[in-house]
Amino acid sequence: MTQVLAISFSLNGKTIAVDVPAHVLLIDLIRDRLGLRGTKRSCDMEVCGACTVLLDGEPISSCTTLAVDVDRRAVTTIEGVTPPDGLSRIQEAFVLHGGLQCGFCTPGFIMAVTALLETTPHPTDAEIRHYLDGNLCRCTGYTKIFEAVKSLARRQDAA
Amino acid sequence: MLPSPFQFERPSTIADAVRAVGDSGDGMFYAGGTELLLALKMRVIRIDRLIDIKGIPGLDCIAVNGMNEIEIGARCTHRKISGDPVIREHVPALASLCAEVANIRVRNVGTIGGNLCFGEPHADPPTMLAALNARLVLEGSRGTREVYADDFIRSEMETVREPDELLRVIVFPRPAGPVTYRRFKHGERPSVNVAMAWSLNPGRSTITSARVRVGALGSRPQPLTIVEGALRNVAVAEARRAIETALPAALDQLEVNADRHGGADYKRHLAGVLLLRNADEAIIAGGSWPK
């Protein structure tokens, strides 16, 4: 029997109130009900990172999170970190360093890097590699993505 | 993939949670869901009700208790344990282990209790908790009981926990010597792991006792009793030689499955390599114990 629960949460800074069946996953709520398609489903088992969103600022896999679990919490998706008139500095760095080709893994990477730089504005090389270890890319390769993130750490150092 | 529909309950006490699981139909405790939701999505587990324990206060505490033991609430995430000052001071190897479980997203929500209760053989925490001689405190409808980590996992994906028993806290003596952990992995789960905990004499020159556990090779972590015996009352400086002498016979005693992580001989060999690397680290760490 399907049980429907009323939840209320912040989505990219806006308060959302919806009724969701208890077994519905966060990724389906975000993409299908709320129409934010930037978050991608790929492995569907918390390994690839394509579906990464931030829950209270920390990266989680939206493919394996119950929608009811974000009740009274704050969810940030790729749409929430993209300025209306262009790109964020993280997205710009990915473009400048050629850190994307097909772009399917990119939203997940951007969300992970957003969380990393929020808590660690000047990550070491090892910290970047360790944090992004769970985001998979199957066409660009990791060197350019790593260099994009490294450029942000450096730029902040110089500032 | 979507799980089959279920009822969702949010009890605020352990007693209510235990009662809720015991109600009619199949209920199951739920916290991080990093293993359970995968199994529900793949429809290899079917349940009628999920009992969310995240609203129960006190299940995510970490502290040194009055018996000089370390207590870790079962609901602590890997991330919390990896950054906790008590764990980093007294069991830095456990903090490092938790900082390397799966990936950042899993560590943010996955709990140490869930990891143990799932009984996955290819897991990091059970091997070290067995080496630390941890006890698992279960709260059920028939009261409280404690189970040693060594006895908790019965076989692959199966533990001695009853469905209506909630793992509340994990308790182990504050280590009296270096604790080391090494693993080898292809994907996110360990193919082989080895944990070793030494107790040193007050002068730090001699190993009074050692616990060595090898994980992921069989259905649950296994003790290397021959190595443990060889290390008893041995000078730290002689530890490597003692292990090398005992190792062939000790490795022969291991139950080793051949699986997609590798053949049995290969993984048995890796266990020996990882153990000796642990020993090298412990010998150096022993000289400066406690920090």
Side-chain angles (χ1 to χ4, degrees), chain A residues 3 46 58-59 61 63 69 134, chain B residues 8 30 34 41 79 103 108:
Chain A
Q3 178 191 11
E46 304 164 289
E58 293 294 336
S61 295
C63 75
D69 268 339
Chain B
F8 194 72
Y30 161 77
T34 56
K41 290 201 299 184
R79 174 166 176 266
N103 60 55
N108 275 337

Side-chain angles (χ1 to χ4, degrees), chain B residues 43-92:
Chain B
R43 312 283 172 106
V44 294
I45 292 179
R46 283 185 179 279
I47 46 131
D48 300 307
R49 276 168 298 113
L50 271 194
I51 315 301
D52 182 10
I53 62 165
K54 293 195 289 295
I56 302 173
L59 291 179
D60 62 348
C61 297
I62 298 175
V64 181
N65 70 18
M67 313 276 287
N68 202 26
E69 296 171 320
I70 292 169
E71 297 190 356
I72 302 176
R75 221 209 86 201
C76 289
T77 61
H78 305 297
R79 174 166 176 266
K80 178 178 171 119
I81 297 168
S82 69
D84 184 82
V86 169
I87 302 299
R88 288 172 77 124
E89 181 185 350
H90 299 294
V91 211

Side-chain angles (χ1 to χ4, degrees), chain B residues 90-92 132 174-180 196-201 282 285-286 289-290:
Chain B
H90 299 294
V91 211
L132 291 169
R174 192 164 67 84
V179 178
T180 50
M196 181 161 68
W198 287 354
S199 294
L200 300 181
N201 69 340
W289 184 272

Side-chain angles (χ1 to χ4, degrees), chain B residues 28-274:
Chain B
M28 210 173 263
F29 296 121
Y30 161 77
T34 56
E35 299 275 24
L36 181 55
L37 288 177
L38 288 183
L40 291 173
K41 290 201 299 184
M42 288 187 278
R43 312 283 172 106
V44 294
I45 292 179
R46 283 185 179 279
I47 46 131
D48 300 307
R49 276 168 298 113
L50 271 194
I51 315 301
D52 182 10
I53 62 165
K54 293 195 289 295
I56 302 173
L59 291 179
D60 62 348
C61 297
I62 298 175
V64 181
N65 70 18
M67 313 276 287
N68 202 26
E69 296 171 320
I70 292 169
E71 297 190 356
I72 302 176
R75 221 209 86 201
C76 289
T77 61
H78 305 297
R79 174 166 176 266
K80 178 178 171 119
I81 297 168
S82 69
D84 184 82
V86 169
I87 302 299
R88 288 172 77 124
E89 181 185 350
H90 299 294
V91 211
L94 180 59
S96 303
L97 178 153
C98 287
E100 299 290 342
V101 167
N103 60 55
I104 185 80
R105 301 177 306 280
V106 167
R107 292 192 291 274
N108 275 337
V109 290
T111 66
I112 193 155
N115 183 294
L116 290 167
C117 290
F118 209 68
E120 157 69 64
H122 292 278
D124 297 289
T127 309
M128 181 178 286
L129 292 173
L132 291 169
N133 205 15
R135 286 134 40 218
L136 280 50
V137 182
L138 301 167
E139 305 284 351
S141 56
R142 288 168 302 283
T144 304
R145 67 169 174 143
E146 290 191 357
V147 178
Y148 280 100
D150 268 332
D151 304 323
F152 185 67
I153 296 175
R154 202 200 304 263
S155 66
E156 295 191 5
M157 315 304 224
E158 191 189 354
T159 73
V160 301
R161 186 183 69 84
E162 296 295 331
D164 69 345
E165 282 184 308
L166 178 69
L167 173 57
R168 179 172 62 82
V169 65
I170 297 144
V171 188
F172 55 86
R174 192 164 67 84
V179 178
T180 50
Y181 175 78
R182 290 262 184 316
R183 71 176 179 188
F184 178 81
K185 68 187 183 89
H186 299 292
E188 290 194 341
R189 299 183 190 273
S191 305
V192 189
N193 58 27
V194 180
M196 181 161 68
W198 287 354
S199 294
L200 300 181
N201 69 340
R204 303 172 197 158
S205 58
T206 302
I207 301 164
T208 53
S209 67
R211 291 176 62 89
V212 185
R213 293 293 179 277
V214 179
L217 293 185
S219 53
R220 58 186 200 165
Q222 302 170 66
L224 278 185
T225 47
I226 295 176
V227 172
E228 291 175 353
L231 286 172
R232 194 165 299 125
N233 298 320
V234 160
V236 169
E238 296 297 318
R240 196 178 212 281
R241 196 199 317 236
I243 293 174
E244 281 171 340
T245 305
L247 199 51
L251 293 178
D252 272 349
Q253 287 194 332
L254 288 171
E255 167 205 349
V256 188
N257 299 331
D259 59 13
R260 66 190 180 90
H261 292 265
D265 288 348
Y266 168 62
K267 292 193 294 185
R268 186 180 280 112
H269 167 76
L270 286 179
V273 172
L274 296 177

